[in-house]
Amino acid sequence: MRRRRRRNGAVAAALAVAALVGLASLQPALAIGPFGPSGRVTVTPTASNQFAGTLDEGSGSREYTARHGAPPDGGTGALELRTPGDGDKRQYATDEVAGPLSRFTDASYWAYRDPASSSGQMPSFAIAVDVNGSTLEARDLYVLTYLPDRAPAGTWTRYDVGAGTFCLTHQIGRVDAYRQCRDGGEQRTLKQIMAEYPQMTAYAAGFNQGGGDGGLVGAVDLMQVGGRVYDFEPA
């Protein structure tokens, strides 16, 4: 659902992150244990498991499809993301993984780049967080961005998010955390970030594609956070 722009900067920031994570409210789901829900679930167009992409921009697309196959043990399909222009963006995140940042220390996902892509990038991973873990206010909103290494086109590649590095971006208004990270933002490990911000709480996490990556046709599958694995399938 599109949200109207507000003149008040604090409200605009809150709306931007609310859109990013696709939340109906800004309260984290902390009652599901320290490592979140466990088990494997199939995410489809009709069973979204709280995934949403309401911060999409431009003329890109998002589609569940078997067009690119799937990674090992990934079923028959995946989630395709298309960003034909530099201003196009597609995001897909769920608040089902909300909770302590420690929940992401072993997070991972698989990604794919179509050989027809004119961009060499891969779909990235983002975590929307409250920096102090208390009552959510606009000044507390940050985004952790994981930029995956490039991989051969036409091949599914697994990325160990928890073992990687992240850019920490203060989400003010319509700031594009992905662009800031790609353009040279400081990168730190999850362990370093948790040590500096011990109260930081995740509100949602998922995928980002676009914001300077025109011509990229990518796909993602088997997102793992804690003991939960999300398998994206067209049906």
Side-chain angles (χ1 to χ4, degrees):
M1 179 176 63
R2 295 185 179 275
R3 301 180 182 273
R4 295 180 180 177
R5 293 183 178 179
R6 306 291 179 88
R7 293 182 179 179
N8 184 290
V11 174
L15 290 178
V17 172
L20 167 68
V21 302
L23 298 175
S25 68
L26 291 175
Q27 298 301 319
L30 299 178
I32 50 180
F35 298 105
S38 61
R40 180 176 177 134
V41 295
T42 301
V43 184
T44 70
T46 56
S48 68
N49 276 87
Q50 302 181 47
F51 275 89
T54 52
L55 200 61
D56 293 345
E57 297 178 357
S59 59
S61 65
R62 182 176 51 248
E63 179 186 359
Y64 292 84
T65 178
R67 188 178 300 116
H68 309 293
D73 197 31
T76 61
L79 178 71
E80 179 191 84
L81 305 169
R82 288 178 177 261
T83 47
D86 279 350
D88 299 329
K89 179 183 287 290
R90 284 298 177 269
Q91 294 180 326
Y92 212 45
T94 178
D95 65 347
E96 191 173 76
V97 296
L101 260 189
S102 58
R103 190 166 289 175
F104 295 87
T105 55
D106 63 349
S108 65
Y109 71 104
W110 289 75
Y112 173 96
R113 177 166 55 89
D114 190 295
S117 299
S118 58
S119 169
Q121 300 294 337
M122 302 290 283
S124 63
F125 192 84
I127 309 172
V129 300
D130 177 359
V131 71
N132 57 24
S134 60
T135 302
L136 181 61
E137 299 181 9
R139 65 178 179 271
D140 301 331
L141 300 171
Y142 284 74
V143 174
L144 304 184
T145 302
Y146 169 85
L147 294 183
D149 293 332
R150 296 190 179 194
T155 301
W156 280 96
T157 302
R158 184 178 183 272
Y159 291 101
D160 293 318
V161 174
T165 58
F166 295 80
C167 295
L168 178 60
T169 304
H170 197 184
Q171 187 67 38
I172 302 174
R174 303 292 290 188
V175 167
D176 190 328
Y178 173 77
R179 279 185 184 267
Q180 286 200 1
C181 190
R182 188 201 59 182
D183 292 344
E186 178 186 357
Q187 298 198 19
R188 287 174 277 181
T189 66
L190 204 59
K191 183 177 180 180
Q192 291 171 327
I193 294 172
M194 289 190 295
E196 185 173 354
Y197 303 98
Q199 303 302 317
M200 183 177 282
T201 300
Y203 274 84
F207 307 108
N208 175 86
Q209 181 173 303
D213 294 335
L216 177 57
V217 179
V220 291
D221 203 6
L222 297 185
M223 170 179 151
Q224 177 183 344
V225 177
R228 174 59 59 99
V229 176
Y230 298 92
D231 179 14
F232 298 88
E233 295 291 341

PDB file of all heavy atoms in Angstrom, residues 73-90:
ATOM      1  N   ASP A  73      17.868 -28.887  -3.036  1.00  0.00           N
ATOM      2  CA  ASP A  73      16.836 -29.068  -2.016  1.00  0.00           C
ATOM      3  C   ASP A  73      15.898 -27.867  -1.942  1.00  0.00           C
ATOM      4  O   ASP A  73      15.280 -27.611  -0.921  1.00  0.00           O
ATOM      5  CB  ASP A  73      17.472 -29.317  -0.639  1.00  0.00           C
ATOM      6  CG  ASP A  73      16.489 -29.901   0.362  1.00  0.00           C
ATOM      7  OD1 ASP A  73      15.576 -30.647  -0.069  1.00  0.00           O
ATOM      8  OD2 ASP A  73      16.606 -29.592   1.561  1.00  0.00           O
ATOM      9  N   GLY A  74      15.801 -27.121  -3.045  1.00  0.00           N
ATOM     10  CA  GLY A  74      14.973 -25.925  -3.058  1.00  0.00           C
ATOM     11  C   GLY A  74      13.669 -26.070  -3.825  1.00  0.00           C
ATOM     12  O   GLY A  74      13.070 -25.051  -4.210  1.00  0.00           O
ATOM     13  N   GLY A  75      13.235 -27.300  -4.072  1.00  0.00           N
ATOM     14  CA  GLY A  75      11.980 -27.467  -4.784  1.00  0.00           C
ATOM     15  C   GLY A  75      12.136 -27.240  -6.267  1.00  0.00           C
ATOM     16  O   GLY A  75      13.171 -27.556  -6.861  1.00  0.00           O
ATOM     17  N   THR A  76      11.114 -26.652  -6.879  1.00  0.00           N
ATOM     18  CA  THR A  76      11.123 -26.469  -8.333  1.00  0.00           C
ATOM     19  C   THR A  76      11.223 -25.011  -8.770  1.00  0.00           C
ATOM     20  O   THR A  76      11.447 -24.743  -9.944  1.00  0.00           O
ATOM     21  CB  THR A  76       9.836 -27.053  -8.947  1.00  0.00           C
ATOM     22  OG1 THR A  76       8.697 -26.366  -8.403  1.00  0.00           O
ATOM     23  CG2 THR A  76       9.722 -28.531  -8.652  1.00  0.00           C
ATOM     24  N   GLY A  77      11.037 -24.070  -7.853  1.00  0.00           N
ATOM     25  CA  GLY A  77      11.025 -22.669  -8.246  1.00  0.00           C
ATOM     26  C   GLY A  77      11.651 -21.767  -7.213  1.00  0.00           C
ATOM     27  O   GLY A  77      12.244 -22.218  -6.223  1.00  0.00           O
ATOM     28  N   ALA A  78      11.518 -20.458  -7.429  1.00  0.00           N
ATOM     29  CA  ALA A  78      12.132 -19.451  -6.573  1.00  0.00           C
ATOM     30  C   ALA A  78      11.397 -18.124  -6.758  1.00  0.00           C
ATOM     31  O   ALA A  78      10.397 -18.050  -7.479  1.00  0.00           O
ATOM     32  CB  ALA A  78      13.609 -19.298  -6.920  1.00  0.00           C
ATOM     33  N   LEU A  79      11.905 -17.078  -6.122  1.00  0.00           N
ATOM     34  CA  LEU A  79      11.346 -15.731  -6.266  1.00  0.00           C
ATOM     35  C   LEU A  79      12.238 -14.930  -7.196  1.00  0.00           C
ATOM     36  O   LEU A  79      13.419 -14.710  -6.899  1.00  0.00           O
ATOM     37  CB  LEU A  79      11.255 -15.046  -4.907  1.00  0.00           C
ATOM     38  CG  LEU A  79      10.715 -13.608  -4.939  1.00  0.00           C
ATOM     39  CD1 LEU A  79       9.222 -13.608  -5.250  1.00  0.00           C
ATOM     40  CD2 LEU A  79      10.992 -12.899  -3.613  1.00  0.00           C
ATOM     41  N   GLU A  80      11.689 -14.498  -8.328  1.00  0.00           N
ATOM     42  CA  GLU A  80      12.439 -13.703  -9.290  1.00  0.00           C
ATOM     43  C   GLU A  80      12.242 -12.217  -9.014  1.00  0.00           C
ATOM     44  O   GLU A  80      11.131 -11.754  -8.741  1.00  0.00           O
ATOM     45  CB  GLU A  80      11.982 -14.014 -10.714  1.00  0.00           C
ATOM     46  CG  GLU A  80      12.708 -13.195 -11.773  1.00  0.00           C
ATOM     47  CD  GLU A  80      12.063 -13.318 -13.142  1.00  0.00           C
ATOM     48  OE1 GLU A  80      11.080 -12.578 -13.404  1.00  0.00           O
ATOM     49  OE2 GLU A  80      12.530 -14.160 -13.927  1.00  0.00           O
ATOM     50  N   LEU A  81      13.333 -11.432  -9.127  1.00  0.00           N
ATOM     51  CA  LEU A  81      13.309  -9.981  -8.976  1.00  0.00           C
ATOM     52  C   LEU A  81      13.895  -9.354 -10.236  1.00  0.00           C
ATOM     53  O   LEU A  81      14.993  -9.728 -10.664  1.00  0.00           O
ATOM     54  CB  LEU A  81      14.125  -9.549  -7.754  1.00  0.00           C
ATOM     55  CG  LEU A  81      13.737 -10.196  -6.419  1.00  0.00           C
ATOM     56  CD1 LEU A  81      14.784  -9.890  -5.355  1.00  0.00           C
ATOM     57  CD2 LEU A  81      12.363  -9.703  -5.975  1.00  0.00           C
ATOM     58  N   ARG A  82      13.164  -8.404 -10.838  1.00  0.00           N
ATOM     59  CA  ARG A  82      13.630  -7.722 -12.040  1.00  0.00           C
ATOM     60  C   ARG A  82      13.697  -6.216 -11.787  1.00  0.00           C
ATOM     61  O   ARG A  82      12.714  -5.616 -11.336  1.00  0.00           O
ATOM     62  CB  ARG A  82      12.698  -7.984 -13.232  1.00  0.00           C
ATOM     63  CG  ARG A  82      12.786  -9.392 -13.797  1.00  0.00           C
ATOM     64  CD  ARG A  82      11.801  -9.603 -14.937  1.00  0.00           C
ATOM     65  NE  ARG A  82      11.937 -10.936 -15.518  1.00  0.00           N
ATOM     66  CZ  ARG A  82      12.611 -11.203 -16.632  1.00  0.00           C
ATOM     67  NH1 ARG A  82      13.167 -10.209 -17.319  1.00  0.00           N
ATOM     68  NH2 ARG A  82      12.707 -12.438 -17.081  1.00  0.00           N
ATOM     69  N   THR A  83      14.841  -5.625 -12.095  1.00  0.00           N
ATOM     70  CA  THR A  83      15.008  -4.171 -11.969  1.00  0.00           C
ATOM     71  C   THR A  83      15.626  -3.649 -13.268  1.00  0.00           C
ATOM     72  O   THR A  83      16.852  -3.530 -13.381  1.00  0.00           O
ATOM     73  CB  THR A  83      15.896  -3.818 -10.766  1.00  0.00           C
ATOM     74  OG1 THR A  83      17.081  -4.659 -10.768  1.00  0.00           O
ATOM     75  CG2 THR A  83      15.155  -4.058  -9.466  1.00  0.00           C
ATOM     76  N   PRO A  84      14.801  -3.347 -14.266  1.00  0.00           N
ATOM     77  CA  PRO A  84      15.320  -2.959 -15.583  1.00  0.00           C
ATOM     78  C   PRO A  84      16.035  -1.615 -15.608  1.00  0.00           C
ATOM     79  O   PRO A  84      16.958  -1.428 -16.401  1.00  0.00           O
ATOM     80  CB  PRO A  84      14.060  -2.935 -16.458  1.00  0.00           C
ATOM     81  CG  PRO A  84      12.923  -2.795 -15.503  1.00  0.00           C
ATOM     82  CD  PRO A  84      13.339  -3.500 -14.260  1.00  0.00           C
ATOM     83  N   GLY A  85      15.636  -0.650 -14.758  1.00  0.00           N
ATOM     84  CA  GLY A  85      16.261   0.666 -14.756  1.00  0.00           C
ATOM     85  C   GLY A  85      16.993   0.952 -13.457  1.00  0.00           C
ATOM     86  O   GLY A  85      16.734   0.326 -12.425  1.00  0.00           O
ATOM     87  N   ASP A  86      17.919   1.926 -13.476  1.00  0.00           N
ATOM     88  CA  ASP A  86      18.696   2.260 -12.286  1.00  0.00           C
ATOM     89  C   ASP A  86      17.820   2.767 -11.147  1.00  0.00           C
ATOM     90  O   ASP A  86      18.185   2.649  -9.975  1.00  0.00           O
ATOM     91  CB  ASP A  86      19.752   3.311 -12.616  1.00  0.00           C
ATOM     92  CG  ASP A  86      20.987   2.693 -13.262  1.00  0.00           C
ATOM     93  OD1 ASP A  86      21.090   1.444 -13.283  1.00  0.00           O
ATOM     94  OD2 ASP A  86      21.846   3.454 -13.746  1.00  0.00           O
ATOM     95  N   GLY A  87      16.671   3.347 -11.470  1.00  0.00           N
ATOM     96  CA  GLY A  87      15.780   3.848 -10.429  1.00  0.00           C
ATOM     97  C   GLY A  87      14.781   2.828  -9.928  1.00  0.00           C
ATOM     98  O   GLY A  87      13.982   3.121  -9.036  1.00  0.00           O
ATOM     99  N   ASP A  88      14.805   1.627 -10.496  1.00  0.00           N
ATOM    100  CA  ASP A  88      13.860   0.589 -10.090  1.00  0.00           C
ATOM    101  C   ASP A  88      14.373  -0.141  -8.852  1.00  0.00           C
ATOM    102  O   ASP A  88      15.579  -0.367  -8.696  1.00  0.00           O
ATOM    103  CB  ASP A  88      13.649  -0.418 -11.221  1.00  0.00           C
ATOM    104  CG  ASP A  88      13.068   0.227 -12.467  1.00  0.00           C
ATOM    105  OD1 ASP A  88      12.309   1.209 -12.325  1.00  0.00           O
ATOM    106  OD2 ASP A  88      13.379  -0.236 -13.578  1.00  0.00           O
ATOM    107  N   LYS A  89      13.457  -0.549  -7.980  1.00  0.00           N
ATOM    108  CA  LYS A  89      13.806  -1.264  -6.766  1.00  0.00           C
ATOM    109  C   LYS A  89      12.704  -2.249  -6.420  1.00  0.00           C
ATOM    110  O   LYS A  89      11.513  -1.934  -6.531  1.00  0.00           O
ATOM    111  CB  LYS A  89      14.010  -0.291  -5.592  1.00  0.00           C
ATOM    112  CG  LYS A  89      14.355  -0.975  -4.281  1.00  0.00           C
ATOM    113  CD  LYS A  89      14.474   0.034  -3.141  1.00  0.00           C
ATOM    114  CE  LYS A  89      15.739   0.842  -3.284  1.00  0.00           C
ATOM    115  NZ  LYS A  89      16.944   0.002  -3.016  1.00  0.00           N
ATOM    116  N   ARG A  90      13.125  -3.443  -6.010  1.00  0.00           N
ATOM    117  CA  ARG A  90      12.189  -4.435  -5.505  1.00  0.00           C
ATOM    118  C   ARG A  90      12.716  -4.973  -4.181  1.00  0.00           C
ATOM    119  O   ARG A  90      13.886  -5.343  -4.075  1.00  0.00           O
ATOM    120  CB  ARG A  90      12.000  -5.596  -6.499  1.00  0.00           C
ATOM    121  CG  ARG A  90      11.113  -5.221  -7.688  1.00  0.00           C
ATOM    122  CD  ARG A  90       9.704  -4.859  -7.248  1.00  0.00           C
ATOM    123  NE  ARG A  90       8.827  -4.428  -8.318  1.00  0.00           N
ATOM    124  CZ  ARG A  90       8.673  -3.168  -8.702  1.00  0.00           C
ATOM    125  NH1 ARG A  90       9.368  -2.208  -8.121  1.00  0.00           N
ATOM    126  NH2 ARG A  90       7.819  -2.854  -9.655  1.00  0.00           N
TER     127      ARG A  90
END
